[in-house]
């Protein structure tokens, strides 16, 4: 049986009369999720972080201290096995009594299917007909009618935390789950979540304003992790050097990217802190495109409630600087 997000009604039945005497001990997988949980918990407690900053979630090997964080947790919030393939079995083994909340499996999470190939189609903002089509698609994301339907049976992109819309949704999911096991502090959890959602709304407006002057620019990313950010802010990359951060691109894929850079006059190639600079150099060979660094995990930021909004802000700033 999958030990993932339980319906609140079921959690209520399971936890009736079993509320924690103290604030529950909470573990999280990656720094952006840790940040959202920390925002909801506020001054009541500090969640534990399992996958340390700067590490790839796809291949992370737990340290003894990380395993202890899971083992002692009452609740565990994580993205899901699509992002951290080995973590699911580890949780089952060392934290069998914890309530496990897999955020990708919540029906309110906007899910996008994994893109195939090295090249993506960029929206032309000068085309009014396409603008209308994109606006309609964006409204479907806002309402959640299209992407929320049927999470199973598809190959979904697991980088869903890079959607500010998802982050706002997850603040309420986190508050609801914490409140079920700690009803004494439910008011605080939901108040903190509401304040966090308001902050994310302001952040979205700020990022849209930052990106507006460079929306006609064209950019390539190192690996295809950013389509949630691209969809939220209607600013699509032209392609990705690597399909994922756990594999190197083939020579053919590098060739495709180089051809697109030359053909479309790509302005910017965005890399990431932990990736091979030589691959970026190979792609840029003969090009005048600029480079900048994107950090989708906030690995250079201090963990805590401020990490998530600063990470999103930094992504936008890196794009603006490069373009």
């Amino acid at each position: 049986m999958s030990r993932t997000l339980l319906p609140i009604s079921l959690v209520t039945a399971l936890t009736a009369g079993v509320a924690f005497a103290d604030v529950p001990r909470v573990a999280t997988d990656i720094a952006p999720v840790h940040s959202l949980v920390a925002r909801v918990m506020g001054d009541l407690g500090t969640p534990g972080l399992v996958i340390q900053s700067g590490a790839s979630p796809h291949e992370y090997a737990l340290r003894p201290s990380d395993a202890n964080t899971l083992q002692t947790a009452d609740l565990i919030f994580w993205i899901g096995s699509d992002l951290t393939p080995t973590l699911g079995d580890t949780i089952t083994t060392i934290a069998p009594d914890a309530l496990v909340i897999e955020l990708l499996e919540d029906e309110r999470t906007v899910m996008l299917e994994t893109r195939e190939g090295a090249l993506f189609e960029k929206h032309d903002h000068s085309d009014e007909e396409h603008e209308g089509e994109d606006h309609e698609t964006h409204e479907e994301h806002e309402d959640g009618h299209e992407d929320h339907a049927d999470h199973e049976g598809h190959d979904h992109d697991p980088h869903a935390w890079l959607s500010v819309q998802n982050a706002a949704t997850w603040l309420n999911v986190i508050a609801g789950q914490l409140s079920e096991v700690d009803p004494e502090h439910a008011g605080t959890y939901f108040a903190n979540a509401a304040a966090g959602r308001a902050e994310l709304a302001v952040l979205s407006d700020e990022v849209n304003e930052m990106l507006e002057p460079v929306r006609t620019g064209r950019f390539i990313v190192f690996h295809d992790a950013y389509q949630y950010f691209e969809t939220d802010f209607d600013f699509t990359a032209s392609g990705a050097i690597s399909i994922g951060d756990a594999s190197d691109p083939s020579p053919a894929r590098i060739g495709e990217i180089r051809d697109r850079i030359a053909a479309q006059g790509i302005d910017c190639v965005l890399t990431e802190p932990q990736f091979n600079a030589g691959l970026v150099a190979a792609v840029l060979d003969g090009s005048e495109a600029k480079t900048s660094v994107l950090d989708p995990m906030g690995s250079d930021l201090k963990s805590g409630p401020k990490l998530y909004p600063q990470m999103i802000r930094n992504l936008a700033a890196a794009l603006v600087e490069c373009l």
Side-chain angles (χ1 to χ4, degrees):
M1 178 179 178
S2 176
R3 300 174 64 254
T4 54
L5 181 63
L6 298 176
I8 287 180
S9 58
L10 178 56
V11 175
T12 302
L14 292 175
T15 61
V18 193
F20 294 101
D22 300 312
V23 172
R25 294 163 296 185
V26 181
T28 61
D29 56 350
I30 59 174
V33 173
H34 176 274
S35 180
L36 298 174
V37 175
R39 183 66 185 89
V40 174
M41 295 186 74
D43 295 333
L44 293 176
T46 302
L49 176 61
V50 174
I51 299 175
Q52 301 305 306
S53 294
S56 169
H58 296 282
E59 303 170 317
Y60 190 67
L62 262 64
R63 306 173 305 174
S65 59
D66 303 327
N68 184 66
T69 298
L70 289 174
Q71 192 170 25
T72 58
D74 302 307
L75 283 83
I76 299 172
F77 293 96
W78 70 313
I79 294 293
S81 57
D82 285 350
L83 182 71
T84 49
T86 63
L87 192 55
D89 289 341
T90 301
I91 291 173
T92 301
T93 301
I94 69 176
D97 297 324
L99 175 61
V100 182
I101 297 92
E102 185 170 347
L103 295 169
L104 289 185
E105 288 205 356
D106 187 278
E107 63 181 6
R108 293 159 289 186
T109 299
V110 170
M111 296 288 286
L112 302 176
E113 292 186 18
T114 301
R115 293 185 286 203
E116 297 181 1
L119 307 179
F120 314 138
E121 293 306 315
K122 181 176 173 60
H123 169 52
D124 183 355
H125 289 268
S126 65
D127 189 321
E128 291 183 357
E129 180 180 354
H130 287 179
E131 281 185 357
E133 292 171 357
D134 272 23
H135 180 65
E136 181 179 355
T137 301
H138 181 68
E139 288 182 341
E140 288 171 347
H141 292 323
E142 290 288 339
D143 294 337
H145 293 159
E146 179 159 313
D147 289 315
H148 288 179
D150 188 12
H151 280 203
E152 298 182 5
H154 297 286
D155 185 11
H156 287 115
D157 184 337
H159 303 88
W161 71 89
L162 292 178
S163 163
V164 175
Q165 178 186 343
N166 277 339
T169 296
W170 292 349
L171 287 171
N172 274 357
V173 172
I174 293 162
Q177 296 295 329
L178 284 167
S179 296
E180 287 296 332
V181 298
D182 183 20
E184 180 180 349
H185 296 111
T188 299
Y189 294 135
F190 279 109
N192 289 344
R197 287 169 64 87
E199 292 163 3
L200 292 182
V202 172
L203 174 67
S204 290
D205 290 340
E206 177 187 346
V207 170
N208 272 313
E209 185 175 346
M210 291 172 66
L211 294 176
E212 193 58 37
V214 297
R215 286 193 186 278
T216 57
R218 297 180 179 273
F219 64 98
I220 297 286
V221 296
F222 188 92
H223 90 286
D224 189 14
Y226 301 96
Q227 70 164 321
Y228 288 95
F229 180 92
E230 297 166 35
T231 299
D232 266 20
F233 299 108
D234 192 20
F235 196 8
T236 305
S238 294
I241 298 173
S242 176
I243 194 170
D245 61 0
S247 60
D248 288 334
S250 66
R253 189 181 180 97
I254 290 177
E256 282 187 87
I257 294 292
R258 289 179 62 179
D259 289 346
R260 171 154 287 196
I261 289 174
Q264 294 191 354
I266 298 297
D267 305 292
C268 172
V269 176
L270 294 150
T271 185
E272 294 178 29
Q274 71 270 35
F275 289 128
N276 186 346
L279 290 174
V280 177
V283 167
L284 286 171
D285 187 31
S287 166
E288 296 182 359
K290 295 173 63 178
T291 63
S292 190
V293 177
L294 294 181
D295 183 2
M297 301 288 288
S299 58
D300 61 342
L301 300 175
K302 180 181 178 181
S303 62
K306 295 181 180 180
L307 179 144
Y308 184 86
Q310 190 58 52
M311 177 194 70
I312 296 295
R313 192 175 291 111
N314 287 355
L315 292 179
L319 266 171
V320 172
E321 177 186 7
C322 196
L323 291 170

